[in-house]
Amino acid sequence: LEKEMLKNFAILDVETTGGKFNEEKITDISILVYDGLNVVTKFESLINPEKDIQPFVQRLTGINSELIKNSPIFKDVSKKIFDITKDKIIVAHNVDFDYRIIKNEFQNINIKFQRDVLCTVELSRLILPNLKSYKLSNLLSNFGIVNNNPHRANSDALAALNLFKILIDNDLEMKIIKSNIKSNNNDQ
């Protein structure tokens, strides 16, 4: 039964333009659907945000206007993102950020997006107490996991997946994981 629950996770990461709160747009997204053994579905895409990317973010991610100029806009990939995450629990490192960004992108095209979420930062604090830091890079180095391309969606999503596997292994009955799933059914 516990392993059956694992089929319902979509581990994801987004990179954005940066900027004012709730005005950020997605520039890079990766979604990995995990069945407890393998990634069964994967989606990744650069996205043309149709706005400038903050210089700080360009330096951090390596994503600039030239790189994304021929990429699809969010609306063009929205159905794929909606479908791949349907009936899934979104898992991310600092999930509130990624979920808010995706939800806003859908809101901008008049689509209501509601998914339950699970945060690997919060889970790490509960399942792996006493660590000095819960930053993704520090957690990964604790377990000898290499993130080849930090601040890029696919590399960070893979890193979050590897961390999530460790959290599952340390919460065998999935009690902590189950009790920390946040429902967003009442979102407006």
Side-chain angles (χ1 to χ4, degrees):
L1 178 71
E2 306 310 337
K3 288 287 182 197
E4 195 58 34
M5 182 185 168
L6 294 175
K7 293 187 172 135
N8 298 318
F9 293 106
I11 292 88
L12 63 78
D13 187 73
V14 299
E15 301 301 329
T16 72
T17 55
K20 287 193 181 127
F21 186 82
N22 281 346
E23 291 180 15
E24 314 100 321
K25 303 281 282 172
I26 295 174
T27 58
D28 190 14
I29 186 166
S30 179
I31 304 169
L32 307 168
V33 176
Y34 179 62
D35 73 354
L37 295 171
N38 300 298
V39 172
V40 291
T41 311
K42 179 178 173 177
F43 173 76
E44 72 176 291
S45 182
L46 287 170
I47 294 177
N48 184 337
E50 301 182 291
K51 73 181 285 188
D52 289 337
I53 301 169
Q54 300 283 311
F56 160 77
V57 175
Q58 289 184 45
R59 286 190 297 276
L60 187 68
T61 64
I63 299 170
N64 58 39
S65 300
E66 184 63 27
L67 185 65
I68 46 101
K69 71 177 182 200
N70 296 320
S71 299
I73 61 171
F74 183 81
K75 188 172 187 188
D76 295 339
V77 294
S78 61
K79 183 175 181 356
K80 181 77 176 163
I81 293 167
F82 193 90
D83 292 346
I84 199 175
T85 59
K86 189 172 173 53
D87 302 320
K88 304 287 185 293
I89 297 162
I90 290 181
V91 179
H93 206 68
N94 190 11
V95 75
D96 291 346
F97 172 80
D98 299 82
Y99 182 72
R100 175 180 61 81
I101 299 290
I102 292 172
K103 199 175 141 205
N104 285 344
E105 289 276 16
F106 275 105
Q107 206 170 329
N108 292 339
I109 56 171
N110 298 312
I111 295 173
K112 191 171 186 176
F113 183 80
Q114 291 179 305
R115 303 291 184 265
D116 291 348
V117 298
L118 198 50
C119 181
T120 55
V121 176
E122 290 171 23
L123 286 176
S124 296
R125 286 192 172 114
L126 294 166
I127 295 171
L128 307 166
N130 307 320
L131 294 178
K132 286 186 173 72
S133 166
Y134 293 92
K135 261 182 71 179
L136 185 59
S137 57
N138 294 345
L139 285 165
L140 295 174
S141 66
N142 277 344
F143 297 105
I145 299 168
V146 176
N147 183 350
N148 290 322
N149 202 356
H151 306 295
R152 286 303 296 267
N154 191 50
S155 193
D156 284 353
L158 280 168
L161 171 63
N162 286 322
L163 175 60
F164 190 52
K165 289 176 184 177
I166 290 166
L167 295 171
I168 290 167
D169 288 345
N170 284 278
D171 183 26
L172 289 177
E173 294 177 19
M174 308 235 350
K175 286 184 176 146
I176 296 169
I177 291 171
K178 278 186 193 164
S179 66
N180 281 277
I181 296 169
K182 285 191 204 144
S183 172
N184 287 305
N185 292 337
N186 304 322
D187 280 9
Q188 288 313 317

